[in-house]
Amino acid sequence: MQTISTHRRTSGAFLGASALALTAFFSAPAHAAQDATCGVLAPGASATAQAAVDAACSQIGVWYSWGGGHAATPGASYGFYDGSDPDSLHDGERKGFDCSGLMRYAYYRATGKDLLNGTADDQYHTSQASARFSAGQGTAPLLPGDLMFWGSGHIHHVAMYLGGGQMVEAYESGTHIRVTSVRTGGDYAGAVRINGSGTPIPPPANGGTVFETWGTGVRTHRSPSVDSDVVDTFPGPTQVSAQCQQHAETVTAEGYTNDAWSKLADGSWVTNIYIKGPAWLPGVPDCGGSSTPPPSGGSKAFQTWGTGVRTHSEPNVNAAVVDYFAQPTTVNVICQKHAQEVTSEGYTNDAWSKLTDGSWMTNIYIKGPAWLDGVATC
């Protein structure tokens, strides 16, 4: 009977990972059609549990990524290297979920509430449990949507029971979310039934990305300006579907200052200050209204290419992500240096450019020669 290595199952301990990848070179493939064996395979589950199963099954084929699924809003996100497992070296370049990130996402989609925001160990001890089952009880009392856990003393892995002796899980680095037979040997610790309630979140409208807002009395506007007509008011946190974002009027509120605004599915705009996540939302395209400031401080303007290009705090793909370019844009380069060698899109280069905001990006995604003409060495 196969057991699970603990050094990979502590992945759920990383919350809000910011060490995202440079490109989609190792990113998750487009979602595959739902696996024919993934779904509610036994009767008796609540409507909430069935919705959670459907949500987990919708991610079949997406990458396992250490730390994935623990961004500000539940959903697939880039992970990071776990520090020990060679198979995890590219998790910073894979958009997906670790084991607890997938469970968090599934029940978020099923209830509209972030019930399981934590590690596998946190989820095992959740206050949302309506029933608990010991390892010795096996799968006989389990219903679809129940969470199964592994670990001795400290829980390091979680999966979702489907019924019929099957479960869905984000297993380990280098693999994809899958359906497999349940494992009740080794350090199987038992199961938990989630007492979730709420309203399932509808899929994003018009291809948008769902985010959660925060704050009270938050207003949306006809255009990206606080002086424009108010379209809606959110009395408390809610979910919104961001279609695109752009730099516009600078707003200072709640101790934050940001010039980024998101366009929602109804055509209204909200400052990104009140959307959970970084100042510039990952995975949301530019609406086309942003402009790049002219070169300053001795910098030189260059055009980028590619999609999903990230800049980092250091010239290294495992360093924290500073910005995300959903599409080609203009960047202002101060200097360049030889640093980590990167292979992507069929090119290999160790040259990195430092931008005016202090971030770094590989020269692979800057139009021009591998070593940019007219740019000083850092």
Side-chain angles (χ1 to χ4, degrees):
M1 183 69 66
Q2 185 179 13
T3 58
I4 306 171
S5 57
T6 60
H7 72 285
R8 296 180 189 177
R9 296 303 162 246
T10 56
S11 56
F14 181 79
L15 303 181
S18 61
L20 308 185
L22 168 69
T23 73
F25 185 61
F26 286 96
S27 62
H31 290 190
Q34 183 168 313
D35 192 301
T37 63
C38 195
V40 177
L41 303 180
S46 68
T48 296
Q50 293 182 50
V53 168
D54 290 342
C57 287
S58 73
Q59 303 304 303
I60 290 291
V62 172
W63 279 110
Y64 176 99
S65 187
W66 204 79
H70 291 295
T73 301
S77 63
Y78 291 91
F80 72 109
Y81 177 43
D82 71 1
S84 61
D85 178 13
D87 288 339
S88 180
L89 282 168
H90 293 295
D91 281 347
E93 303 158 42
R94 294 168 174 153
K95 189 175 184 180
F97 299 89
D98 65 17
C99 61
S100 57
L102 179 62
M103 301 304 108
R104 178 195 183 200
Y105 170 78
Y107 271 93
Y108 172 72
R109 296 296 302 177
T111 67
K113 302 176 181 179
D114 196 2
L115 301 177
L116 300 175
N117 184 6
T119 68
D121 192 69
D122 293 330
Q123 292 172 354
Y124 180 71
H125 295 99
T126 179
S127 62
Q128 302 293 335
S130 63
R132 295 183 179 276
F133 308 96
S134 69
Q137 291 177 273
T139 60
L142 301 189
L143 295 175
D146 289 349
L147 305 187
M148 304 179 69
F149 295 90
W150 289 260
S152 298
H154 180 81
I155 299 299
H156 58 76
H157 186 57
V158 58
M160 181 178 290
Y161 187 64
L162 300 175
Q166 300 293 298
M167 65 184 187
V168 58
E169 67 178 347
Y171 180 57
E172 66 180 359
S173 296
T175 67
H176 300 88
I177 293 173
R178 68 183 189 178
V179 173
T180 187
S181 298
V182 297
R183 301 183 295 274
T184 53
D187 62 351
Y188 175 61
V192 169
R193 182 164 298 152
I194 301 300
N195 183 25
S197 62
T199 303
I201 300 174
N206 303 320
T209 302
V210 170
F211 288 90
E212 187 172 354
T213 68
W214 66 280
T216 59
V218 175
R219 295 176 175 83
T220 66
H221 295 266
R222 188 72 60 192
S223 61
S225 169
V226 294
D227 294 325
S228 65
D229 293 340
V230 172
V231 176
D232 202 354
T233 301
F234 303 143
T238 187
Q239 284 82 39
V240 295
S241 178
Q243 307 295 300
C244 60
Q245 60 190 332
Q246 74 177 51
H247 296 290
E249 181 183 58
T250 298
V251 178
T252 298
E254 310 287 349
Y256 298 93
T257 298
N258 194 2
D259 71 347
W261 289 71
S262 287
K263 188 175 185 179
L264 307 184
D266 64 357
S268 67
W269 295 81
V270 62
T271 169
N272 283 12
I273 288 175
Y274 288 103
I275 298 179
K276 289 184 178 179
W280 186 258
L281 300 176
V284 178
D286 193 300
C287 298
S290 302
S291 60
T292 302
S296 61
S299 65
K300 185 174 181 179
F302 287 89
Q303 185 77 17
T304 69
W305 66 279
T307 58
V309 177
R310 292 163 176 82
T311 67
H312 297 263
S313 60
E314 301 291 339
N316 186 304
V317 295
N318 293 316
V321 168
V322 175
D323 206 349
Y324 175 96
F325 302 142
Q327 57 194 14
T329 188
T330 302
V331 294
N332 295 321
V333 177
I334 297 174
C335 58
Q336 59 190 331
K337 67 184 291 186
H338 295 288
Q340 183 192 49
E341 186 174 85
V342 178
T343 297
S344 188
E345 308 285 354
Y347 298 94
T348 297
N349 194 0
D350 70 348
W352 288 71
S353 287
K354 187 174 185 179
L355 309 184
T356 49
D357 65 356
S359 66
W360 296 82
M361 71 180 298
T362 171
N363 283 12
I364 287 175
Y365 286 97
I366 298 178
K367 289 184 178 180
W371 187 258
L372 299 176
D373 296 331
V375 175
T377 301
C378 297

